[in-house]
Amino acid sequence: MATITYPTLMEIDFGAIKQLGDALRRNNISRPLICTDKGIIDCGIFDTVRGVVPNDVTLTVYDETPGNPTERAVKDAARLYRENDCDGVIALGGGSSIDLGKAVSLSITHEGPIDNYSAINGGRDKIGAAPPIIAMPTTAGTGSEVGGGLVIITEEGKKTVIVSPNLIPKMAICDPDLTLGLPKQLTAATGMDAMAHCIEAYLTPIINPPAAAIGLDGLERVVTYLKRAVDDGQDKEARWNMMMAASEGAMAFAKGLGAVHSMSHAVGADETLRLHHGTLNAVLLPTVLRFNADHVGDKYVRLRRAMGLAEGADIAAWIEEFNHSINLPANLGEMGVTHEMIADLSDHCMTDACHFSNPKIPTVEEYHVMFAEAIGS
Amino acid sequence: MATITYPTLMEIDFGAIKQLGDALRRNNISRPLICTDKGIIDCGIFDTVRGVVPNDVTLTVYDETPGNPTERAVKDAARLYRENDCDGVIALGGGSSIDLGKAVSLSITHEGPIDNYSAINGGRDKIGAAPPIIAMPTTAGTGSEVGGGLVIITEEGKKTVIVSPNLIPKMAICDPDLTLGLPKQLTAATGMDAMAHCIEAYLTPIINPPAAAIGLDGLERVVTYLKRAVDDGQDKEARWNMMMAASEGAMAFAKGLGAVHSMSHAVGADETLRLHHGTLNAVLLPTVLRFNADHVGDKYVRLRRAMGLAEGADIAAWIEEFNHSINLPANLGEMGVTHEMIADLSDHCMTDACHFSNPKIPTVEEYHVMFAEAIGS
């Protein structure tokens, strides 16, 4: 069992779900709302987790978390929370369920539209105490389990970032057993989310050497273990390392993210396309890395070292090949994004929290060019 | 300004002392006890810091922190705290003042001999809430400002480790300006404390990848900047990086320490010799690195990479040369330690908290051999 506190208490081990009862007890939670999704119910993970919940704990279940959590879904879950007089949240699933769980917690003690609490609207200073959250990731992943950030699609259709230390889960229970059955496509996509977090966080101009160091370590793990996890889901060593890398990605992005995320948030807000955040990050990384190349000093030297690439190797090209090797799309066009969407997408980027910490803050025209490149012909 | 939360809120920048007023306010401290030492008074740093204390804050000053803090000193300071109805602690100085400040805070809300709270006596579970602490390091350093650990010489003469998340300073104000005047000898000694923390933490068998990554980053900084800081105390870049490295060393040792520390605690407990913790660590590092070499898998490869050494280079020998280049002693014998002391020193090691996380836990006979080597002829 590895116990880590940066800044969340995190336990990572096969069988860690058995810590759930103690975690609930320590945080005085006896009537939790468990926020999860239908996939987690269907594949049996929910039953496994329910099996370790103590008898004196009353579980209320919200299992309708959408692929990208919406303010509407948060309201539905919060209603269930209040109706059942819940006293805490268990968030079980991928980033969507964990982010939804954080948003539910926020909404219990904070009124009004969720966009009021967006980072871009000074939300951080408005967010006070909120019910305790226990996070249990089933992907590897967003790393949302160890941080105080979340992403929600508002009722106005904007994908917005909310951040507060008061939304940091009281505990992250990271059990790689829950990922052994994660399908190849999701393994690849969520793994690339972790890679994008590590790379983008490392590249931001914000000074935070511990976060940067953690990001490079996470990056090395993803490069070493992701393809193994995709090729053989039962590879326990690979699954442990991917779970660790995912959490490290989120620890690293304490120093911010960049244009990969502003762009993937923009595309991910589209509720018709319903595209996966991790897949979008994977596909956007090469474009943004090319855009950033002249604005990062010698940081690409360190990236290559962490990734085991030769001196001067083309990192963007390597990622394109890697994406291909794990069957991710070659460009946004394959995913249904069209050139007609570029103007609106670019506008969405300009007010995204992550936009402001890209090594070079793009102009809207530069987003036009990047989207065009990422969509392909 | 770099803001870091692993797990302490840490601000590092030239001029960061100006954050003190806000830090006190945020933590509802208006009558702090400032724990410091005569050296800080004499060199003018105390006056500089007092100059940024808001007018509505009443300062009580304890300036008698010994070179290695003792339970006796803690009691004296705590009496001053109570007599002046203080409501928090500012710890200003090197590791001694910061550790003393933490011990004072502990003793305000926890009765009885301080050894009751030693980690080795199950102290962690006994330590609850304690008055808030603002830590302001003037060395680079123990990193004590960012962690929940402290070392005290008990009334029985034992140097003991106490750890609790409740003793983590509410804020670490890391202002490298306070170290510009740090004399060469202290710069060297405290810098090697940071190096020892980074190396020992990295080598423990405890699994904590973020801590390990931070340790390697800190190690690289010490190797790059310590001699520059020793040679030219006004080298601001070197001073910033040494302060960062010192904090990283303490963040890293969330995954424990090893025999360098059990041995330096043993020698440091001697109140006749009154030897400096950092100098002891520097002198003991080569011996312990040779002892550990066959018990660390391939970790020395990573150490060499972080230190910029050639493949297969002798790390212990490099450290011996480096110590010499910054005018640290060649062995414990030069510092007044004699072979007659070995038996008692070794016994002290066997119950030190750090002993248990060495890559290979030494037997008492192995300590005899290591001390003999470290003392020299």
Side-chain angles (χ1 to χ4, degrees), chain A residues 159-203:
Chain A
K159 209 178 203 201
T160 194
V161 175
I162 297 172
V163 185
S164 167
N166 291 321
L167 298 176
I168 295 173
K170 294 303 178 194
M171 186 168 175
I173 298 177
C174 299
D175 191 333
D177 273 332
L178 302 189
T179 64
L180 293 179
L182 191 64
K184 289 180 190 298
Q185 184 73 6
L186 269 177
T187 299
T190 57
M192 288 306 290
D193 196 12
M195 183 190 285
H197 290 157
C198 292
I199 288 177
E200 287 231 286
Y202 179 69
L203 294 180

mmCIF file of all heavy atoms in Angstrom, chain A residues 159-203:
data_model
loop_
_atom_site.group_PDB
_atom_site.id
_atom_site.type_symbol
_atom_site.label_atom_id
_atom_site.label_comp_id
_atom_site.label_asym_id
_atom_site.label_seq_id
_atom_site.Cartn_x
_atom_site.Cartn_y
_atom_site.Cartn_z
ATOM 1 N N LYS A 159 -18.327 24.312 -21.443
ATOM 2 C CA LYS A 159 -17.579 23.381 -20.615
ATOM 3 C C LYS A 159 -16.636 24.226 -19.763
ATOM 4 O O LYS A 159 -15.716 24.863 -20.276
ATOM 5 C CB LYS A 159 -16.786 22.389 -21.476
ATOM 6 C CG LYS A 159 -16.580 21.039 -20.775
ATOM 7 C CD LYS A 159 -15.845 19.993 -21.616
ATOM 8 C CE LYS A 159 -16.182 18.588 -21.094
ATOM 9 N NZ LYS A 159 -15.202 17.567 -21.466
ATOM 10 N N THR A 160 -16.909 24.243 -18.465
ATOM 11 C CA THR A 160 -16.194 25.164 -17.606
ATOM 12 C C THR A 160 -15.413 24.468 -16.494
ATOM 13 O O THR A 160 -15.793 23.391 -16.035
ATOM 14 C CB THR A 160 -17.166 26.204 -17.001
ATOM 15 O OG1 THR A 160 -16.407 27.266 -16.429
ATOM 16 C CG2 THR A 160 -18.060 25.592 -15.930
ATOM 17 N N VAL A 161 -14.320 25.110 -16.083
ATOM 18 C CA VAL A 161 -13.439 24.573 -15.056
ATOM 19 C C VAL A 161 -13.745 25.221 -13.707
ATOM 20 O O VAL A 161 -13.831 26.444 -13.605
ATOM 21 C CB VAL A 161 -11.957 24.862 -15.419
ATOM 22 C CG1 VAL A 161 -11.024 24.412 -14.293
ATOM 23 C CG2 VAL A 161 -11.588 24.171 -16.724
ATOM 24 N N ILE A 162 -13.900 24.398 -12.686
ATOM 25 C CA ILE A 162 -14.110 24.889 -11.320
ATOM 26 C C ILE A 162 -12.999 24.319 -10.448
ATOM 27 O O ILE A 162 -12.652 23.139 -10.581
ATOM 28 C CB ILE A 162 -15.487 24.432 -10.791
ATOM 29 C CG1 ILE A 162 -16.598 25.035 -11.640
ATOM 30 C CG2 ILE A 162 -15.662 24.792 -9.310
ATOM 31 C CD1 ILE A 162 -17.986 24.493 -11.333
ATOM 32 N N VAL A 163 -12.416 25.135 -9.594
ATOM 33 C CA VAL A 163 -11.290 24.685 -8.763
ATOM 34 C C VAL A 163 -11.422 25.211 -7.347
ATOM 35 O O VAL A 163 -11.678 26.400 -7.158
ATOM 36 C CB VAL A 163 -9.940 25.206 -9.307
ATOM 37 C CG1 VAL A 163 -8.788 24.611 -8.504
ATOM 38 C CG2 VAL A 163 -9.760 24.882 -10.775
ATOM 39 N N SER A 164 -11.220 24.356 -6.386
ATOM 40 C CA SER A 164 -11.146 24.808 -4.999
ATOM 41 C C SER A 164 -10.489 23.749 -4.142
ATOM 42 O O SER A 164 -10.770 22.567 -4.300
ATOM 43 C CB SER A 164 -12.534 25.096 -4.441
ATOM 44 O OG SER A 164 -12.469 25.250 -3.025
ATOM 45 N N PRO A 165 -9.633 24.179 -3.199
ATOM 46 C CA PRO A 165 -9.092 23.189 -2.264
ATOM 47 C C PRO A 165 -10.190 22.526 -1.433
ATOM 48 O O PRO A 165 -10.010 21.403 -0.956
ATOM 49 C CB PRO A 165 -8.160 24.016 -1.365
ATOM 50 C CG PRO A 165 -8.383 25.435 -1.700
ATOM 51 C CD PRO A 165 -9.063 25.521 -3.012
ATOM 52 N N ASN A 166 -11.338 23.208 -1.321
ATOM 53 C CA ASN A 166 -12.442 22.622 -0.547
ATOM 54 C C ASN A 166 -13.162 21.496 -1.274
ATOM 55 O O ASN A 166 -14.039 20.844 -0.698
ATOM 56 C CB ASN A 166 -13.450 23.717 -0.175
ATOM 57 C CG ASN A 166 -12.859 24.694 0.836
ATOM 58 O OD1 ASN A 166 -12.140 24.302 1.745
ATOM 59 N ND2 ASN A 166 -13.133 25.973 0.656
ATOM 60 N N LEU A 167 -12.799 21.293 -2.530
ATOM 61 C CA LEU A 167 -13.410 20.194 -3.287
ATOM 62 C C LEU A 167 -12.437 19.032 -3.476
ATOM 63 O O LEU A 167 -12.723 18.091 -4.221
ATOM 64 C CB LEU A 167 -13.903 20.717 -4.647
ATOM 65 C CG LEU A 167 -14.986 21.793 -4.548
ATOM 66 C CD1 LEU A 167 -15.344 22.322 -5.937
ATOM 67 C CD2 LEU A 167 -16.247 21.257 -3.853
ATOM 68 N N ILE A 168 -11.295 19.103 -2.825
ATOM 69 C CA ILE A 168 -10.356 17.991 -2.888
ATOM 70 C C ILE A 168 -10.951 16.817 -2.123
ATOM 71 O O ILE A 168 -11.356 16.977 -0.967
ATOM 72 C CB ILE A 168 -8.995 18.374 -2.267
ATOM 73 C CG1 ILE A 168 -8.324 19.472 -3.103
ATOM 74 C CG2 ILE A 168 -8.073 17.160 -2.176
ATOM 75 C CD1 ILE A 168 -7.056 20.026 -2.460
ATOM 76 N N PRO A 169 -11.029 15.637 -2.720
ATOM 77 C CA PRO A 169 -11.556 14.491 -1.985
ATOM 78 C C PRO A 169 -10.780 14.256 -0.690
ATOM 79 O O PRO A 169 -9.569 14.471 -0.629
ATOM 80 C CB PRO A 169 -11.363 13.320 -2.964
ATOM 81 C CG PRO A 169 -11.434 13.962 -4.312
ATOM 82 C CD PRO A 169 -10.771 15.297 -4.130
ATOM 83 N N LYS A 170 -11.502 13.868 0.355
ATOM 84 C CA LYS A 170 -10.848 13.577 1.631
ATOM 85 C C LYS A 170 -9.912 12.390 1.473
ATOM 86 O O LYS A 170 -8.948 12.237 2.211
ATOM 87 C CB LYS A 170 -11.893 13.275 2.715
ATOM 88 C CG LYS A 170 -12.764 14.459 3.060
ATOM 89 C CD LYS A 170 -11.950 15.659 3.499
ATOM 90 C CE LYS A 170 -12.849 16.843 3.790
ATOM 91 N NZ LYS A 170 -12.056 18.086 3.884
ATOM 92 N N MET A 171 -10.266 11.529 0.542
ATOM 93 C CA MET A 171 -9.406 10.393 0.272
ATOM 94 C C MET A 171 -9.616 9.912 -1.156
ATOM 95 O O MET A 171 -10.730 9.949 -1.660
ATOM 96 C CB MET A 171 -9.727 9.254 1.236
ATOM 97 C CG MET A 171 -8.764 8.086 1.100
ATOM 98 S SD MET A 171 -8.988 6.946 2.474
ATOM 99 C CE MET A 171 -7.855 5.639 1.955
ATOM 100 N N ALA A 172 -8.525 9.500 -1.756
ATOM 101 C CA ALA A 172 -8.571 8.861 -3.069
ATOM 102 C C ALA A 172 -8.225 7.394 -2.856
ATOM 103 O O ALA A 172 -7.125 7.080 -2.406
ATOM 104 C CB ALA A 172 -7.574 9.516 -4.020
ATOM 105 N N ILE A 173 -9.188 6.518 -3.125
ATOM 106 C CA ILE A 173 -8.939 5.082 -3.001
ATOM 107 C C ILE A 173 -8.682 4.555 -4.402
ATOM 108 O O ILE A 173 -9.600 4.442 -5.216
ATOM 109 C CB ILE A 173 -10.140 4.361 -2.349
ATOM 110 C CG1 ILE A 173 -10.353 4.906 -0.927
ATOM 111 C CG2 ILE A 173 -9.926 2.850 -2.334
ATOM 112 C CD1 ILE A 173 -11.559 4.322 -0.202
ATOM 113 N N CYS A 174 -7.425 4.277 -4.680
ATOM 114 C CA CYS A 174 -7.001 3.923 -6.038
ATOM 115 C C CYS A 174 -6.702 2.435 -6.107
ATOM 116 O O CYS A 174 -5.634 1.987 -5.677
ATOM 117 C CB CYS A 174 -5.785 4.761 -6.432
ATOM 118 S SG CYS A 174 -6.149 6.535 -6.422
ATOM 119 N N ASP A 175 -7.644 1.666 -6.607
ATOM 120 C CA ASP A 175 -7.527 0.214 -6.662
ATOM 121 C C ASP A 175 -7.414 -0.220 -8.118
ATOM 122 O O ASP A 175 -8.408 -0.238 -8.848
ATOM 123 C CB ASP A 175 -8.757 -0.417 -6.002
ATOM 124 C CG ASP A 175 -8.591 -1.908 -5.787
ATOM 125 O OD1 ASP A 175 -7.823 -2.543 -6.548
ATOM 126 O OD2 ASP A 175 -9.232 -2.458 -4.877
ATOM 127 N N PRO A 176 -6.203 -0.562 -8.561
ATOM 128 C CA PRO A 176 -6.013 -0.922 -9.964
ATOM 129 C C PRO A 176 -6.842 -2.146 -10.381
ATOM 130 O O PRO A 176 -7.089 -2.340 -11.571
ATOM 131 C CB PRO A 176 -4.510 -1.198 -10.072
ATOM 132 C CG PRO A 176 -3.911 -0.513 -8.895
ATOM 133 C CD PRO A 176 -4.933 -0.566 -7.822
ATOM 134 N N ASP A 177 -7.288 -2.944 -9.398
ATOM 135 C CA ASP A 177 -8.179 -4.070 -9.735
ATOM 136 C C ASP A 177 -9.408 -3.575 -10.503
ATOM 137 O O ASP A 177 -9.935 -4.299 -11.356
ATOM 138 C CB ASP A 177 -8.678 -4.776 -8.457
ATOM 139 C CG ASP A 177 -7.719 -5.853 -7.969
ATOM 140 O OD1 ASP A 177 -6.994 -6.430 -8.811
ATOM 141 O OD2 ASP A 177 -7.705 -6.117 -6.754
ATOM 142 N N LEU A 178 -9.860 -2.371 -10.186
ATOM 143 C CA LEU A 178 -11.069 -1.853 -10.834
ATOM 144 C C LEU A 178 -10.829 -1.526 -12.313
ATOM 145 O O LEU A 178 -11.770 -1.245 -13.048
ATOM 146 C CB LEU A 178 -11.585 -0.603 -10.120
ATOM 147 C CG LEU A 178 -11.928 -0.743 -8.637
ATOM 148 C CD1 LEU A 178 -12.639 0.515 -8.134
ATOM 149 C CD2 LEU A 178 -12.794 -1.960 -8.376
ATOM 150 N N THR A 179 -9.568 -1.520 -12.718
ATOM 151 C CA THR A 179 -9.261 -1.179 -14.119
ATOM 152 C C THR A 179 -8.861 -2.385 -14.947
ATOM 153 O O THR A 179 -8.657 -2.266 -16.152
ATOM 154 C CB THR A 179 -8.114 -0.142 -14.204
ATOM 155 O OG1 THR A 179 -6.903 -0.722 -13.683
ATOM 156 C CG2 THR A 179 -8.448 1.117 -13.430
ATOM 157 N N LEU A 180 -8.755 -3.556 -14.308
ATOM 158 C CA LEU A 180 -8.305 -4.725 -15.066
ATOM 159 C C LEU A 180 -9.230 -5.022 -16.237
ATOM 160 O O LEU A 180 -8.807 -5.477 -17.293
ATOM 161 C CB LEU A 180 -8.204 -5.954 -14.144
ATOM 162 C CG LEU A 180 -7.135 -5.909 -13.057
ATOM 163 C CD1 LEU A 180 -7.168 -7.182 -12.217
ATOM 164 C CD2 LEU A 180 -5.746 -5.715 -13.656
ATOM 165 N N GLY A 181 -10.530 -4.728 -16.048
ATOM 166 C CA GLY A 181 -11.502 -5.011 -17.098
ATOM 167 C C GLY A 181 -11.779 -3.828 -18.004
ATOM 168 O O GLY A 181 -12.666 -3.893 -18.866
ATOM 169 N N LEU A 182 -11.024 -2.737 -17.831
ATOM 170 C CA LEU A 182 -11.280 -1.554 -18.663
ATOM 171 C C LEU A 182 -10.960 -1.889 -20.123
ATOM 172 O O LEU A 182 -9.850 -2.323 -20.439
ATOM 173 C CB LEU A 182 -10.401 -0.401 -18.168
ATOM 174 C CG LEU A 182 -10.678 0.999 -18.705
ATOM 175 C CD1 LEU A 182 -12.061 1.488 -18.270
ATOM 176 C CD2 LEU A 182 -9.604 1.979 -18.237
ATOM 177 N N PRO A 183 -11.934 -1.675 -21.018
ATOM 178 C CA PRO A 183 -11.729 -2.058 -22.422
ATOM 179 C C PRO A 183 -10.562 -1.317 -23.071
ATOM 180 O O PRO A 183 -10.180 -0.222 -22.626
ATOM 181 C CB PRO A 183 -13.050 -1.660 -23.091
ATOM 182 C CG PRO A 183 -14.043 -1.542 -22.002
ATOM 183 C CD PRO A 183 -13.276 -1.127 -20.781
ATOM 184 N N LYS A 184 -10.020 -1.877 -24.124
ATOM 185 C CA LYS A 184 -8.819 -1.332 -24.769
ATOM 186 C C LYS A 184 -8.982 0.140 -25.155
ATOM 187 O O LYS A 184 -8.088 0.956 -24.927
ATOM 188 C CB LYS A 184 -8.469 -2.134 -26.021
ATOM 189 C CG LYS A 184 -7.921 -3.528 -25.742
ATOM 190 C CD LYS A 184 -7.600 -4.262 -27.047
ATOM 191 C CE LYS A 184 -7.274 -5.737 -26.819
ATOM 192 N NZ LYS A 184 -6.082 -5.972 -25.987
ATOM 193 N N GLN A 185 -10.130 0.443 -25.762
ATOM 194 C CA GLN A 185 -10.332 1.807 -26.251
ATOM 195 C C GLN A 185 -10.288 2.815 -25.106
ATOM 196 O O GLN A 185 -9.621 3.850 -25.190
ATOM 197 C CB GLN A 185 -11.683 1.885 -26.988
ATOM 198 C CG GLN A 185 -11.974 3.218 -27.627
ATOM 199 C CD GLN A 185 -11.130 3.482 -28.871
ATOM 200 O OE1 GLN A 185 -10.390 2.620 -29.349
ATOM 201 N NE2 GLN A 185 -11.227 4.693 -29.386
ATOM 202 N N LEU A 186 -10.973 2.484 -24.020
ATOM 203 C CA LEU A 186 -10.986 3.386 -22.869
ATOM 204 C C LEU A 186 -9.630 3.423 -22.184
ATOM 205 O O LEU A 186 -9.203 4.469 -21.680
ATOM 206 C CB LEU A 186 -12.056 2.964 -21.864
ATOM 207 C CG LEU A 186 -13.427 3.595 -22.054
ATOM 208 C CD1 LEU A 186 -14.399 3.038 -21.035
ATOM 209 C CD2 LEU A 186 -13.357 5.120 -21.943
ATOM 210 N N THR A 187 -8.955 2.293 -22.136
ATOM 211 C CA THR A 187 -7.610 2.267 -21.551
ATOM 212 C C THR A 187 -6.706 3.236 -22.296
ATOM 213 O O THR A 187 -5.971 4.022 -21.692
ATOM 214 C CB THR A 187 -7.022 0.844 -21.618
ATOM 215 O OG1 THR A 187 -7.855 -0.049 -20.873
ATOM 216 C CG2 THR A 187 -5.607 0.804 -21.065
ATOM 217 N N ALA A 188 -6.790 3.163 -23.627
ATOM 218 C CA ALA A 188 -5.950 4.039 -24.450
ATOM 219 C C ALA A 188 -6.319 5.506 -24.253
ATOM 220 O O ALA A 188 -5.443 6.350 -24.041
ATOM 221 C CB ALA A 188 -6.108 3.656 -25.925
ATOM 222 N N ALA A 189 -7.608 5.790 -24.331
ATOM 223 C CA ALA A 189 -8.045 7.183 -24.262
ATOM 224 C C ALA A 189 -7.756 7.809 -22.904
ATOM 225 O O ALA A 189 -7.258 8.938 -22.816
ATOM 226 C CB ALA A 189 -9.536 7.268 -24.581
ATOM 227 N N THR A 190 -8.071 7.093 -21.841
ATOM 228 C CA THR A 190 -7.846 7.669 -20.507
ATOM 229 C C THR A 190 -6.352 7.727 -20.193
ATOM 230 O O THR A 190 -5.878 8.628 -19.499
ATOM 231 C CB THR A 190 -8.597 6.892 -19.406
ATOM 232 O OG1 THR A 190 -8.213 5.523 -19.422
ATOM 233 C CG2 THR A 190 -10.110 6.991 -19.624
ATOM 234 N N GLY A 191 -5.611 6.783 -20.727
ATOM 235 C CA GLY A 191 -4.154 6.819 -20.541
ATOM 236 C C GLY A 191 -3.544 8.033 -21.207
ATOM 237 O O GLY A 191 -2.620 8.653 -20.670
ATOM 238 N N MET A 192 -4.065 8.399 -22.385
ATOM 239 C CA MET A 192 -3.545 9.577 -23.064
ATOM 240 C C MET A 192 -3.971 10.853 -22.347
ATOM 241 O O MET A 192 -3.296 11.880 -22.427
ATOM 242 C CB MET A 192 -3.984 9.602 -24.521
ATOM 243 C CG MET A 192 -3.274 8.573 -25.383
ATOM 244 S SD MET A 192 -1.435 8.692 -25.285
ATOM 245 C CE MET A 192 -1.141 10.256 -26.155
ATOM 246 N N ASP A 193 -5.087 10.797 -21.626
ATOM 247 C CA ASP A 193 -5.462 11.944 -20.783
ATOM 248 C C ASP A 193 -4.354 12.157 -19.759
ATOM 249 O O ASP A 193 -3.878 13.281 -19.544
ATOM 250 C CB ASP A 193 -6.805 11.673 -20.087
ATOM 251 C CG ASP A 193 -7.436 12.928 -19.518
ATOM 252 O OD1 ASP A 193 -6.966 14.043 -19.839
ATOM 253 O OD2 ASP A 193 -8.394 12.805 -18.736
ATOM 254 N N ALA A 194 -3.917 11.064 -19.130
ATOM 255 C CA ALA A 194 -2.836 11.175 -18.146
ATOM 256 C C ALA A 194 -1.572 11.740 -18.795
ATOM 257 O O ALA A 194 -0.905 12.614 -18.235
ATOM 258 C CB ALA A 194 -2.554 9.809 -17.517
ATOM 259 N N MET A 195 -1.253 11.265 -19.995
ATOM 260 C CA MET A 195 -0.058 11.775 -20.671
ATOM 261 C C MET A 195 -0.187 13.272 -20.947
ATOM 262 O O MET A 195 0.747 14.045 -20.728
ATOM 263 C CB MET A 195 0.197 11.019 -21.980
ATOM 264 C CG MET A 195 1.488 11.507 -22.667
ATOM 265 S SD MET A 195 1.751 10.896 -24.346
ATOM 266 C CE MET A 195 2.262 9.199 -24.025
ATOM 267 N N ALA A 196 -1.364 13.664 -21.427
ATOM 268 C CA ALA A 196 -1.565 15.079 -21.733
ATOM 269 C C ALA A 196 -1.429 15.939 -20.484
ATOM 270 O O ALA A 196 -0.855 17.028 -20.517
ATOM 271 C CB ALA A 196 -2.941 15.285 -22.368
ATOM 272 N N HIS A 197 -1.942 15.464 -19.364
ATOM 273 C CA HIS A 197 -1.815 16.211 -18.118
ATOM 274 C C HIS A 197 -0.356 16.385 -17.755
ATOM 275 O O HIS A 197 0.088 17.489 -17.422
ATOM 276 C CB HIS A 197 -2.534 15.495 -16.970
ATOM 277 C CG HIS A 197 -4.014 15.520 -17.092
ATOM 278 N ND1 HIS A 197 -4.834 14.598 -16.485
ATOM 279 C CD2 HIS A 197 -4.827 16.361 -17.767
ATOM 280 C CE1 HIS A 197 -6.098 14.871 -16.771
ATOM 281 N NE2 HIS A 197 -6.123 15.945 -17.548
ATOM 282 N N CYS A 198 0.394 15.300 -17.818
ATOM 283 C CA CYS A 198 1.808 15.370 -17.428
ATOM 284 C C CYS A 198 2.578 16.335 -18.325
ATOM 285 O O CYS A 198 3.348 17.167 -17.849
ATOM 286 C CB CYS A 198 2.431 13.983 -17.481
ATOM 287 S SG CYS A 198 1.793 12.849 -16.220
ATOM 288 N N ILE A 199 2.354 16.221 -19.634
ATOM 289 C CA ILE A 199 3.097 17.069 -20.573
ATOM 290 C C ILE A 199 2.684 18.527 -20.441
ATOM 291 O O ILE A 199 3.523 19.419 -20.304
ATOM 292 C CB ILE A 199 2.880 16.586 -22.030
ATOM 293 C CG1 ILE A 199 3.623 15.262 -22.251
ATOM 294 C CG2 ILE A 199 3.346 17.644 -23.020
ATOM 295 C CD1 ILE A 199 3.426 14.658 -23.637
ATOM 296 N N GLU A 200 1.376 18.785 -20.490
ATOM 297 C CA GLU A 200 0.914 20.175 -20.436
ATOM 298 C C GLU A 200 1.319 20.845 -19.134
ATOM 299 O O GLU A 200 1.716 22.012 -19.112
ATOM 300 C CB GLU A 200 -0.608 20.243 -20.596
ATOM 301 C CG GLU A 200 -1.083 19.956 -22.001
ATOM 302 C CD GLU A 200 -2.021 21.050 -22.499
ATOM 303 O OE1 GLU A 200 -3.171 21.089 -22.035
ATOM 304 O OE2 GLU A 200 -1.606 21.865 -23.376
ATOM 305 N N ALA A 201 1.163 20.111 -18.030
ATOM 306 C CA ALA A 201 1.518 20.690 -16.733
ATOM 307 C C ALA A 201 3.003 21.049 -16.711
ATOM 308 O O ALA A 201 3.397 22.135 -16.279
ATOM 309 C CB ALA A 201 1.194 19.709 -15.609
ATOM 310 N N TYR A 202 3.827 20.160 -17.204
ATOM 311 C CA TYR A 202 5.269 20.410 -17.204
ATOM 312 C C TYR A 202 5.603 21.673 -18.001
ATOM 313 O O TYR A 202 6.482 22.439 -17.629
ATOM 314 C CB TYR A 202 6.029 19.206 -17.761
ATOM 315 C CG TYR A 202 7.518 19.440 -17.786
ATOM 316 C CD1 TYR A 202 8.245 19.520 -16.602
ATOM 317 C CD2 TYR A 202 8.190 19.665 -18.988
ATOM 318 C CE1 TYR A 202 9.604 19.787 -16.611
ATOM 319 C CE2 TYR A 202 9.551 19.939 -19.001
ATOM 320 C CZ TYR A 202 10.251 19.998 -17.812
ATOM 321 O OH TYR A 202 11.596 20.270 -17.821
ATOM 322 N N LEU A 203 4.872 21.888 -19.089
ATOM 323 C CA LEU A 203 5.220 22.980 -19.998
ATOM 324 C C LEU A 203 4.709 24.358 -19.586
ATOM 325 O O LEU A 203 5.186 25.365 -20.103
ATOM 326 C CB LEU A 203 4.709 22.675 -21.416
ATOM 327 C CG LEU A 203 5.361 21.479 -22.131
ATOM 328 C CD1 LEU A 203 4.741 21.300 -23.524
ATOM 329 C CD2 LEU A 203 6.874 21.657 -22.245
#
